[in-house]
């Protein structure tokens, strides 16, 4: 009875009204997931500096716009800040021999203080769409979706082209097999630094867009970004492989990663629409990522020859 009463209180129109905002944010997080994909899949490096770099992109963008810079210039400089942060992580790993995961943690830790200094020792800074000409804003969700989509498609095209070049192929080879790449004359340390720089540059770009979209930069805006990025990557890969199977190429993977970000945020919108506790979003995210990570493994296990042989043997024994 209580369940029926609860369902009657849900307003489908409110859900429909909130969906465009969820799609717009999903696209922005999908751009961030492209950066995570470079380190997580292509470079095979665990980079935890993402949470800090996302906030850095937002802080640099907001402070430069407040200082009178045009939004496009602020975004470009935010990308540069992300490239620098990624380079630092790479140098800590390659030149000082610090494990990649610890290098990312150190960079993230340092960026917290750096981001505070960027924002004038303030935990947050606000932007007004009425005072500044922003690239993207939550006040105009339809335009935000279109502009975010243009950014995402442009980045997908650039990444697809770049990773088909000699340098891009060398970076992918480094992540695939470092020993073989080194034997082929590839400077694997330089490729790691380059990959981490590109990854964090994309993350900072996403942070700059998100700061404009929501109208403020916050010191904690990047908290949990790595988990959301991984969720988008995993969801996109599983859905892409489920739809296209072996026909899913590199370009398709990049597209589905952005789609994964959109699907993740649609789920967030639905969770909030169902009036579930917003403090449980990270729990739901962990559950979603766990499910999508487990699906390929369980699917592969069910199709393995050992599993089939076991089922066949069980049927034979049952027949006897």
């Amino acid at each position: 009875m209580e369940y029926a009463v609860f369902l009657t209180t849900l307003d489908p129109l409110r859900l429909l009204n909130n969906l465009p905002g969820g799609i717009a944010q999903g696209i922005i997080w999908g751009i961030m997931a492209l950066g995570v994909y470079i380190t997580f899949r292509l470079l095979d490096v665990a980079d935890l500096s993402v949470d800090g770099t996302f906030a850095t992109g937002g802080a640099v963008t907001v402070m430069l716009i407040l200082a009178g810079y045009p939004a496009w210039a602020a975004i470009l400089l935010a990308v540069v800040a992300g490239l620098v942060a990624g380079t630092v992580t790479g140098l800590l790993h390659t030149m000082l021999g610090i494990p990649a995961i610890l290098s990312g943690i150190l960079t993230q830790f340092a960026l917290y203080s750096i981001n505070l200094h960027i924002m004038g020792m303030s935990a947050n800074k606000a932007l007004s769409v009425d005072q500044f000409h922003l690239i993207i804003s939550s006040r105009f969700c339809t335009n935000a979706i279109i502009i975010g989509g243009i950014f995402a498609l442009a980045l997908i095209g650039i990444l697809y082209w770049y990773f088909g070049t000699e340098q891009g192929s060398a970076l992918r080879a480094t992540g695939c097999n470092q020993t073989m790449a080194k034997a082929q004359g590839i400077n694997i340390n330089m490729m790691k630094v380059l990959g981490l720089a590109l990854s964090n540059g994309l993350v900072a770009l996403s942070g700059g867009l998100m700061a404009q979209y929501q109208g403020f930069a916050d010191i904690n805006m990047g908290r949990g970004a790595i988990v959301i990025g991984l969720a988008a990557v995993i969801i996109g890969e599983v859905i892409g492989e489920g739809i296209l199977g072996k026909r899913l190429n590199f370009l398709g993977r990049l597209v589905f990663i952005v789609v994964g970000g959109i699907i993740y945020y649609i789920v967030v919108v639905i969770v909030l629409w169902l009036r579930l506790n917003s403090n449980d979003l990270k729990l739901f995210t962990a559950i979603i990522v766990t499910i999508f990570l487990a699906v390929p493994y369980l699917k592969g296990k069910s199709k393995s020859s050992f599993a089939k042989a076991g089922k066949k043997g069980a049927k034979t024994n049952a027949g006897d």
Side-chain angles (χ1 to χ4, degrees):
M1 184 65 181
E2 292 182 359
Y3 180 71
V5 173
F6 169 73
L7 290 178
T8 59
T9 62
L10 297 177
D11 185 4
L13 290 177
R14 187 167 67 88
L15 175 61
L16 290 175
N17 290 332
N18 291 337
L19 278 178
I23 293 172
Q25 292 185 74
I27 293 173
I28 295 173
W29 284 106
I31 292 173
M32 188 272 294
L34 290 173
V36 173
Y37 180 74
I38 292 175
T39 52
F40 180 59
R41 287 298 193 211
L42 300 185
L43 203 56
D44 194 26
V45 169
D47 178 27
L48 296 184
S49 62
V50 171
D51 290 18
T53 312
F54 188 83
T56 300
V60 170
T61 299
V62 169
M63 295 306 293
L64 288 175
I65 292 176
L66 290 174
Y69 285 77
W72 64 266
I75 282 288
L76 286 178
L77 290 173
V79 173
V80 172
L83 291 172
V84 172
T87 300
V88 170
T89 301
L91 293 177
L92 288 174
H93 173 51
T94 58
M95 294 189 66
L96 301 182
I98 301 173
I101 190 168
L102 292 179
S103 298
I105 292 173
L106 288 172
T107 303
Q108 178 194 141
F109 198 65
L111 282 175
Y112 185 89
S113 296
I114 293 172
N115 293 338
L116 278 175
H117 282 285
I118 291 173
M119 293 192 291
M121 301 309 293
S122 175
N124 53 71
K125 286 287 184 178
L127 279 175
S128 174
V129 69
D130 297 322
Q131 296 179 349
F132 303 97
H133 182 67
L134 305 180
I135 294 175
I136 192 170
S137 173
S138 60
R139 188 176 295 183
F140 311 105
C141 283
T142 302
N143 289 341
I145 292 173
I146 295 172
I147 294 171
I150 292 172
F151 266 94
L153 290 174
L155 288 171
I156 288 171
I158 292 171
L159 290 175
Y160 180 68
W161 165 80
Y162 172 72
F163 283 107
T165 64
E166 183 177 350
Q167 188 181 76
S169 298
L171 196 153
R172 295 171 68 180
T174 300
C176 184
N177 190 322
Q178 291 189 35
T179 304
M180 183 61 69
K182 190 173 183 180
Q184 295 295 322
I186 297 173
N187 187 334
I188 60 173
N189 285 339
M190 187 182 77
M191 290 299 106
K192 288 180 180 180
V193 173
L194 179 61
L196 286 163
L198 289 174
S199 172
N200 283 276
L202 287 174
V203 172
L205 169 62
S206 176
L209 291 174
M210 181 59 73
Q212 292 187 56
Y213 176 82
Q214 63 190 12
F216 66 91
D218 186 88
I219 191 65
N220 293 315
M221 65 183 289
R223 182 173 293 177
I226 182 64
V227 179
I228 297 175
L230 289 174
V233 171
I234 300 302
I235 292 171
E237 286 183 336
V238 171
I239 293 177
E241 291 173 359
I243 295 175
L244 298 178
K246 294 182 179 180
R247 293 176 296 170
L248 182 65
N249 58 15
F250 182 63
L251 178 62
R253 289 184 183 277
L254 295 177
V255 172
F256 273 104
I257 286 169
V258 177
V259 172
I262 296 172
I263 292 174
Y264 169 79
Y265 246 85
I266 288 176
V267 172
V268 171
V269 170
I270 293 174
V271 167
L272 295 176
W273 175 68
L274 292 173
R275 299 179 184 176
L276 299 177
N277 193 334
S278 60
N279 292 323
D280 293 334
L281 281 177
K282 293 189 185 300
L283 173 61
F284 287 118
T285 299
I287 294 173
I288 291 170
V289 174
T290 301
I291 292 172
F292 277 91
L293 278 171
V295 166
Y297 171 76
L298 295 176
K299 187 177 179 181
K301 188 176 181 180
S302 65
K303 290 183 178 181
S304 67
S305 58
F306 292 104
K308 288 182 179 180
K311 291 180 181 179
K312 187 175 181 180
K315 289 182 179 179
T316 303
N317 293 332
D320 294 339

